[in-house]
Amino acid sequence: MTAVTDENQGNGTAATGAPKESGAPGQGDGRWDDGLIARRAAAVDGRGDGCGVEDSAGGDSRTGGRGRSRTGSAPVADEDDVRPQVEAYVPSGGPLPTRLDALRELVGLSRARLDRDTLTEAGRVLDEAAARQRLSSRHTVVAIAGATGSGKSTLFNALAGAQISDTGLRRPTTSQPIACSWTDGAAGLLDRLAIPGRLRRRPHPGPAASDEALQGLVLVDLPDHDSAATAHRDQVDRVLALVDAVIWVVDPEKYADAALHERYLRPLAGHAEVTFVVLNQIDRLPGEAAELVLDDLRRLLDEDGMALGEHGEPGATVMSLSALTGDGVPELCELVGRFVQDRTAATRRLSADVAAAAARLRPVYVAEGRPGLGERAREEFTDRLAEAVGAAAAGQAAEREWRRNAGRA
């Protein structure tokens, strides 16, 4: 898989749509049945039936869920598949630039047919993809997110090897995003995240092997996503939409919190390959309780639709540790190091964004259900067709002529 290049591979950014025009076809119910537009919608949706995360080049194809195609060949239609067959589907594993171009073309063709709100998210994805591709491909931006008291700032400091982010009993402790960069050249990325210079740090020098593995990492400690301060939650949502990957830190008390699963993990299930879920504070759990809680966490993630990266399958990384005692922190550091050195996080994140935007647009362009006419619609169609070709009038004339001939006889 090839990392995102520094060059802007998608020249120009798409507008988010024109104002709704009076009387434009298809705007009454939000659906447009133009065959050309439907083909463009299909080209953008390179994931088959799921929200896949595609390879950016001809390497191993990765997907955001189970059971998806991993080959570069076009999917074979099932003979029993009753859904409408649409032309020009890009196979799973299609290059990211091709999918961005298809989405850009789709948005351009749709401006006069759909209202602005329908195209807003797709336009945002295109803008953010162009902005990210202009910036450094040597850096991977990873955010650490979590609830109040989950210990994410403690984990942030443990990975950085220094007391960078404030920790304590007062809540909320982290009020603004704080960044730690292991190498130079990440200023543009941090400017994009709107993190001021006074909140940018460098890690404490550690073992040479550890520092070498984390070269290119930009780690961001976020405010609490469940903070009582609305401004804190707004900052979390803003930064999460821009980073390349996320480490979600949960604790034994709040790992099943509905606010976490319904607002973040479930909507971002298609971003599994750029997601880490870490059960922190296992030092508080006696005996085998940590494994039981971890198994229950995996169950919840599976219910959210998030693929788990286990047994060699692509997906989210799930593990347990104690940021306070250091138990499990070296293992996380090693996993993050391999992830950063792969240099594919940005591409995977953008691919997942395109897949999510395509999934939102798909119902607008592509009709679902069994093709053909039902019995009632068929009768109505037959009646209208007969009226259009004059069959009813011809039949009535023939009947009158038959009656006259019968009367003469």
Side-chain angles (χ1 to χ4, degrees):
M1 184 179 293
T2 305
V4 175
T5 61
D6 289 334
E7 299 177 358
N8 181 6
Q9 295 175 333
N11 294 330
T13 56
T16 56
K20 185 175 181 180
E21 295 183 5
S22 174
Q27 291 182 352
D29 59 356
R31 183 181 297 279
W32 176 257
D33 291 330
D34 185 296
L36 178 64
I37 300 298
R39 289 194 294 274
R40 297 308 190 276
V44 174
D45 185 2
R47 57 182 173 79
D49 291 337
C51 297
V53 181
E54 280 73 22
D55 194 352
S56 63
D60 293 338
S61 175
R62 307 193 180 191
T63 60
R66 301 182 181 86
R68 295 166 175 78
S69 173
R70 296 190 187 182
T71 67
S73 59
V76 179
D78 191 342
E79 293 181 356
D80 297 331
D81 191 358
V82 298
R83 294 174 303 168
Q85 298 301 314
V86 186
E87 300 176 26
Y89 270 91
V90 174
S92 178
L96 175 61
T98 300
R99 301 187 64 205
L100 288 172
D101 289 342
L103 180 59
R104 187 174 297 106
E105 184 179 7
L106 178 66
V107 171
L109 290 168
S110 304
R111 289 172 185 163
R113 295 174 169 89
L114 299 176
D115 60 275
R116 182 187 299 271
D117 292 341
T118 302
L119 300 173
T120 297
E121 178 60 19
R124 186 198 68 80
V125 169
L126 288 170
D127 291 343
E128 296 302 340
R132 180 62 182 93
Q133 290 177 317
R134 283 194 296 266
L135 298 171
S136 172
S137 63
R138 298 179 297 103
H139 292 81
T140 301
V141 184
V142 180
I144 296 186
T148 303
S150 62
K152 58 182 178 53
S153 294
T154 304
L155 179 59
F156 178 86
N157 293 335
L159 292 174
Q163 188 73 15
I164 295 177
S165 186
D166 292 336
T167 61
L169 298 177
R170 181 180 61 85
R171 307 291 181 213
T173 304
T174 305
S175 59
Q176 290 182 300
I178 301 174
C180 180
S181 177
W182 268 252
T183 52
D184 296 328
L189 293 168
L190 295 176
D191 289 342
R192 180 169 175 253
L193 299 179
I195 298 179
R198 60 185 177 82
L199 296 178
R200 303 178 186 183
R201 304 287 191 273
R202 296 300 295 268
H204 187 274
S210 175
D211 286 347
E212 181 66 23
L214 297 178
Q215 292 299 301
L217 173 63
V218 179
L219 198 62
V220 181
D221 185 21
L222 297 179
D224 303 331
H225 70 76
D226 60 348
S227 173
T230 304
H232 294 181
R233 299 197 303 270
D234 292 342
Q235 288 192 65
V236 172
D237 294 344
R238 177 184 62 80
V239 175
L240 286 179
L242 301 176
V243 297
D244 301 327
V246 184
I247 299 175
W248 289 100
V249 182
V250 300
D251 61 78
E253 295 177 354
K254 294 184 178 180
Y255 73 92
D257 189 6
L260 170 64
H261 290 269
E262 294 178 5
R263 186 175 182 181
Y264 296 104
L265 294 179
R266 195 167 301 161
L268 293 174
H271 295 69
E273 284 198 4
V274 291
T275 300
F276 294 76
V277 183
V278 175
L279 174 64
N280 190 22
Q281 302 177 8
I282 59 172
D283 55 295
R284 297 170 49 195
L285 299 174
E288 299 178 353
E291 284 300 323
L292 295 176
V293 174
L294 193 62
D295 288 342
D296 195 44
L297 175 59
R298 291 192 181 100
R299 178 188 63 81
L300 293 172
L301 293 173
D302 187 66
E303 291 179 358
D304 291 335
M306 181 170 290
L308 304 183
E310 300 175 339
H311 311 296
E313 293 293 324
T317 299
V318 184
M319 62 177 297
S320 59
L321 54 77
S322 172
L324 186 63
T325 65
D327 185 19
V329 174
E331 288 78 3
L332 176 62
C333 186
E334 181 181 354
L335 290 172
V336 171
R338 290 203 301 264
F339 181 79
V340 170
Q341 295 309 313
D342 196 31
R343 300 283 193 266
T344 59
T347 299
R348 291 191 235 175
R349 169 63 197 257
L350 294 177
S351 294
D353 287 344
V354 171
R360 294 188 187 96
L361 290 176
R362 184 181 177 88
V364 181
Y365 298 99
V366 183
E368 299 291 347
R370 181 182 295 277
L373 300 174
E375 189 63 31
R376 181 176 179 181
R378 188 184 299 278
E379 292 177 359
E380 184 179 356
F381 174 77
T382 302
D383 293 341
R384 291 188 178 185
L385 180 61
E387 182 180 355
V389 300
Q396 291 170 1
E399 183 180 358
R400 287 193 299 269
E401 182 65 19
W402 184 87
R403 286 180 181 278
R404 283 196 297 270
N405 293 336
R408 294 192 190 100

